[in-house]
Amino acid sequence: MNKIANAISKAEVQTFVKGEEVRNSTWYLLNIEPNQNQNATEFWKKLVTKLVYENEALIFGINNHLYVADSFEQVKFSFRENIYRNIVLKDFSVKTIFNESSVIHLTLNNRNIKSVIDGFYKMYGNLITQGIANYKKMNNRKFSLTSEGQVKQDK
């Protein structure tokens, strides 16, 4: 998870207003410091971990800060916005009920994403192992022996 989260945290999240790139408070929250207790790297690590292990994550805002919920309850509706309630952040229960338009709810389409990532790491490990073996094989000392006549083949 850390490799994926570190890659995401090193990327810059761009923010746009009317087609123009701006570095406003939203840009600052997503790239520098989302809240008083986390920097952007810690925030993205928690978000990626929640996505991979639980297949969904909820980002919500309070007092111009962004947080990743540890747990939440989603109430789905057909013809109006879904709502999110019983949000827990560490040991604190958030009493506010959030509408779909005021949160970022991320879900993964693949329920078995952890096994997919583990498979990639296994393939990557095999690739590295094979590369090391080939490197050793190709860079070994090689000798050529030429002799005149025939050599008796015995012990």
Side-chain angles (χ1 to χ4, degrees), residues 2-64:
N2 285 338
K3 290 190 185 301
I4 296 169
N6 285 336
I8 291 172
S9 68
K10 293 202 185 314
E12 178 185 354
V13 178
Q14 296 176 321
T15 54
F16 293 86
V17 174
K18 296 182 181 176
E20 295 290 324
E21 183 180 358
V22 295
R23 289 191 171 192
N24 56 12
S25 61
T26 303
W27 178 89
Y28 182 82
L29 290 173
L30 294 172
N31 291 291
I32 308 295
E33 189 176 47
N35 60 63
Q36 66 274 19
N37 295 322
Q38 291 179 315
N39 60 32
T41 304
E42 293 167 342
F43 177 83
W44 290 109
K45 281 183 181 179
K46 182 175 180 179
L47 180 67
V48 168
T49 302
K50 297 291 284 180
L51 274 172
V52 170
Y53 284 112
E54 297 177 18
N55 206 42
E56 67 178 349
L58 182 73
I59 301 171
F60 66 98
I62 294 179
N63 297 332
N64 295 323

